[in-house]
Short mmCIF file of all heavy atoms in Angstrom, two decimals:
data_model
loop_
_atom_site.label_atom_id
_atom_site.label_comp_id
_atom_site.label_asym_id
_atom_site.label_seq_id
_atom_site.Cartn_x
_atom_site.Cartn_y
_atom_site.Cartn_z
N ARG A 37 -0.76 37.44 -18.79
CA ARG A 37 -0.22 36.09 -18.94
C ARG A 37 -0.14 35.68 -20.40
O ARG A 37 0.73 34.92 -20.80
CB ARG A 37 -1.09 35.08 -18.18
CG ARG A 37 -0.83 35.12 -16.69
CD ARG A 37 -1.61 34.05 -15.99
NE ARG A 37 -3.00 34.50 -15.86
CZ ARG A 37 -4.03 33.70 -15.71
NH1 ARG A 37 -3.87 32.41 -15.69
NH2 ARG A 37 -5.24 34.18 -15.59
N TYR A 38 -1.06 36.16 -21.21
CA TYR A 38 -1.11 35.79 -22.63
C TYR A 38 -1.14 37.07 -23.47
O TYR A 38 -2.20 37.49 -23.94
CB TYR A 38 -2.33 34.93 -22.94
CG TYR A 38 -2.39 33.67 -22.11
CD1 TYR A 38 -3.24 33.58 -21.02
CD2 TYR A 38 -1.59 32.60 -22.42
CE1 TYR A 38 -3.29 32.43 -20.25
CE2 TYR A 38 -1.63 31.44 -21.67
CZ TYR A 38 -2.48 31.37 -20.58
OH TYR A 38 -2.52 30.22 -19.84
N PRO A 39 0.01 37.70 -23.68
CA PRO A 39 0.00 38.97 -24.41
C PRO A 39 -0.39 38.82 -25.88
O PRO A 39 -0.77 39.81 -26.51
CB PRO A 39 1.44 39.47 -24.28
CG PRO A 39 2.24 38.26 -23.98
CD PRO A 39 1.35 37.31 -23.25
N GLN A 40 -0.31 37.60 -26.42
CA GLN A 40 -0.67 37.43 -27.83
C GLN A 40 -2.18 37.54 -28.06
O GLN A 40 -2.64 37.72 -29.18
CB GLN A 40 -0.14 36.10 -28.37
CG GLN A 40 -0.82 34.87 -27.82
CD GLN A 40 -0.17 34.36 -26.53
OE1 GLN A 40 0.51 35.10 -25.82
NE2 GLN A 40 -0.39 33.11 -26.23
N ILE A 41 -2.98 37.45 -27.00
CA ILE A 41 -4.43 37.61 -27.13
C ILE A 41 -4.73 39.10 -26.96
O ILE A 41 -4.55 39.66 -25.89
CB ILE A 41 -5.19 36.78 -26.08
CG1 ILE A 41 -4.85 35.31 -26.24
CG2 ILE A 41 -6.68 37.03 -26.19
CD1 ILE A 41 -5.49 34.43 -25.18
N ARG A 42 -5.17 39.72 -28.04
CA ARG A 42 -5.46 41.14 -28.02
C ARG A 42 -6.97 41.35 -27.96
O ARG A 42 -7.73 40.46 -28.31
CB ARG A 42 -4.89 41.80 -29.27
CG ARG A 42 -3.38 41.66 -29.40
CD ARG A 42 -2.85 42.38 -30.64
NE ARG A 42 -3.60 42.08 -31.86
CZ ARG A 42 -3.37 41.02 -32.63
NH1 ARG A 42 -2.46 40.16 -32.32
NH2 ARG A 42 -4.06 40.85 -33.73
N PRO A 43 -7.41 42.54 -27.54
CA PRO A 43 -8.85 42.80 -27.52
C PRO A 43 -9.48 42.68 -28.89
O PRO A 43 -10.68 42.44 -29.00
CB PRO A 43 -8.97 44.23 -26.99
CG PRO A 43 -7.69 44.51 -26.31
CD PRO A 43 -6.65 43.65 -26.97
N THR A 44 -8.69 42.86 -29.94
CA THR A 44 -9.25 42.77 -31.29
C THR A 44 -9.14 41.37 -31.88
O THR A 44 -9.49 41.17 -33.03
CB THR A 44 -8.53 43.76 -32.23
OG1 THR A 44 -7.16 43.44 -32.25
CG2 THR A 44 -8.75 45.19 -31.78
N SER A 45 -8.62 40.42 -31.11
CA SER A 45 -8.54 39.05 -31.64
C SER A 45 -9.94 38.51 -31.84
O SER A 45 -10.78 38.62 -30.95
CB SER A 45 -7.78 38.15 -30.66
OG SER A 45 -6.45 38.55 -30.57
N GLY A 46 -10.19 37.92 -32.97
CA GLY A 46 -11.51 37.34 -33.22
C GLY A 46 -12.36 38.26 -34.05
O GLY A 46 -11.98 38.69 -35.15
N TYR A 47 -13.53 38.64 -33.52
CA TYR A 47 -14.52 39.35 -34.32
C TYR A 47 -14.05 40.75 -34.72
O TYR A 47 -14.44 41.27 -35.75
CB TYR A 47 -15.86 39.45 -33.58
CG TYR A 47 -15.83 40.37 -32.38
CD1 TYR A 47 -16.17 41.71 -32.50
CD2 TYR A 47 -15.45 39.90 -31.14
CE1 TYR A 47 -16.13 42.54 -31.41
CE2 TYR A 47 -15.41 40.72 -30.05
CZ TYR A 47 -15.75 42.06 -30.19
OH TYR A 47 -15.72 42.87 -29.11
N GLY A 48 -13.20 41.39 -33.91
CA GLY A 48 -12.75 42.73 -34.24
C GLY A 48 -11.50 42.77 -35.07
O GLY A 48 -11.03 43.85 -35.43
N ASP A 49 -10.93 41.63 -35.38
CA ASP A 49 -9.69 41.57 -36.14
C ASP A 49 -9.96 41.94 -37.59
O ASP A 49 -10.83 41.36 -38.24
CB ASP A 49 -9.11 40.15 -36.06
CG ASP A 49 -7.66 40.09 -36.48
OD1 ASP A 49 -7.27 40.91 -37.33
OD2 ASP A 49 -6.93 39.23 -35.97
N PRO A 50 -9.24 42.93 -38.14
CA PRO A 50 -9.51 43.34 -39.53
C PRO A 50 -9.18 42.25 -40.54
O PRO A 50 -9.64 42.31 -41.67
CB PRO A 50 -8.62 44.56 -39.72
CG PRO A 50 -7.57 44.47 -38.69
CD PRO A 50 -8.17 43.73 -37.53
N ARG A 51 -8.38 41.26 -40.13
CA ARG A 51 -8.04 40.18 -41.08
C ARG A 51 -9.22 39.24 -41.29
O ARG A 51 -9.27 38.51 -42.28
CB ARG A 51 -6.85 39.39 -40.56
CG ARG A 51 -5.58 40.22 -40.49
CD ARG A 51 -4.49 39.47 -39.80
NE ARG A 51 -4.86 39.30 -38.39
CZ ARG A 51 -4.14 38.65 -37.50
NH1 ARG A 51 -3.00 38.10 -37.85
NH2 ARG A 51 -4.54 38.55 -36.25
N VAL A 52 -10.19 39.26 -40.39
CA VAL A 52 -11.35 38.37 -40.51
C VAL A 52 -12.38 39.08 -41.37
O VAL A 52 -12.94 40.09 -40.98
CB VAL A 52 -11.94 38.02 -39.12
CG1 VAL A 52 -13.17 37.17 -39.28
CG2 VAL A 52 -10.90 37.34 -38.27
N ARG A 53 -12.62 38.53 -42.56
CA ARG A 53 -13.58 39.15 -43.47
C ARG A 53 -14.91 38.42 -43.48
O ARG A 53 -15.95 39.01 -43.67
CB ARG A 53 -13.01 39.17 -44.88
CG ARG A 53 -11.88 40.17 -45.04
CD ARG A 53 -11.54 40.34 -46.50
NE ARG A 53 -11.04 39.09 -47.07
CZ ARG A 53 -9.77 38.79 -47.24
NH1 ARG A 53 -8.85 39.66 -46.90
NH2 ARG A 53 -9.39 37.65 -47.74
N HIS A 54 -14.87 37.09 -43.30
CA HIS A 54 -16.09 36.31 -43.36
C HIS A 54 -16.22 35.52 -42.07
O HIS A 54 -15.33 34.77 -41.71
CB HIS A 54 -16.07 35.33 -44.54
CG HIS A 54 -15.90 36.00 -45.86
ND1 HIS A 54 -16.88 36.76 -46.44
CD2 HIS A 54 -14.86 36.04 -46.72
CE1 HIS A 54 -16.44 37.23 -47.59
NE2 HIS A 54 -15.22 36.81 -47.78
N THR A 55 -17.31 35.73 -41.37
CA THR A 55 -17.55 34.93 -40.17
C THR A 55 -18.64 33.92 -40.49
O THR A 55 -19.61 34.23 -41.17
CB THR A 55 -18.01 35.81 -39.00
OG1 THR A 55 -19.20 36.47 -39.39
CG2 THR A 55 -16.94 36.83 -38.64
N GLY A 56 -18.48 32.73 -40.04
CA GLY A 56 -19.48 31.70 -40.27
C GLY A 56 -19.18 30.88 -41.50
O GLY A 56 -18.23 31.14 -42.24
N PRO A 57 -20.02 29.89 -41.75
CA PRO A 57 -19.76 28.95 -42.84
C PRO A 57 -20.10 29.46 -44.23
O PRO A 57 -19.70 28.86 -45.20
CB PRO A 57 -20.63 27.75 -42.47
CG PRO A 57 -21.72 28.32 -41.65
CD PRO A 57 -21.13 29.49 -40.92
N GLY A 58 -20.83 30.54 -44.35
CA GLY A 58 -21.11 31.07 -45.68
C GLY A 58 -22.59 31.07 -46.01
O GLY A 58 -23.42 30.55 -45.26
N PRO A 59 -22.95 31.65 -47.14
CA PRO A 59 -24.37 31.75 -47.50
C PRO A 59 -24.97 30.38 -47.81
O PRO A 59 -24.32 29.53 -48.41
CB PRO A 59 -24.36 32.64 -48.74
CG PRO A 59 -22.99 32.52 -49.30
CD PRO A 59 -22.07 32.27 -48.14
N GLY A 60 -26.18 30.18 -47.37
CA GLY A 60 -26.89 28.93 -47.65
C GLY A 60 -26.58 27.81 -46.69
O GLY A 60 -27.13 26.73 -46.82
N ALA A 61 -25.70 28.03 -45.74
CA ALA A 61 -25.35 26.96 -44.81
C ALA A 61 -26.52 26.71 -43.86
O ALA A 61 -27.16 27.62 -43.39
CB ALA A 61 -24.11 27.33 -44.02
N GLY A 62 -26.78 25.45 -43.62
CA GLY A 62 -27.85 25.09 -42.70
C GLY A 62 -29.21 24.99 -43.35
O GLY A 62 -30.17 24.59 -42.71
N THR A 63 -29.31 25.35 -44.60
CA THR A 63 -30.59 25.23 -45.29
C THR A 63 -30.58 23.95 -46.11
O THR A 63 -29.52 23.46 -46.50
CB THR A 63 -30.86 26.43 -46.22
OG1 THR A 63 -29.80 26.49 -47.19
CG2 THR A 63 -30.91 27.72 -45.44
#
Side-chain angles (χ1 to χ4, degrees):
R37 283 184 282 156
Y38 303 102
Q40 69 272 22
I41 300 176
R42 300 182 312 275
T44 59
S45 294
Y47 70 92
D49 196 330
R51 295 172 294 178
V52 177
R53 289 191 297 261
H54 302 290
T55 60
T63 60

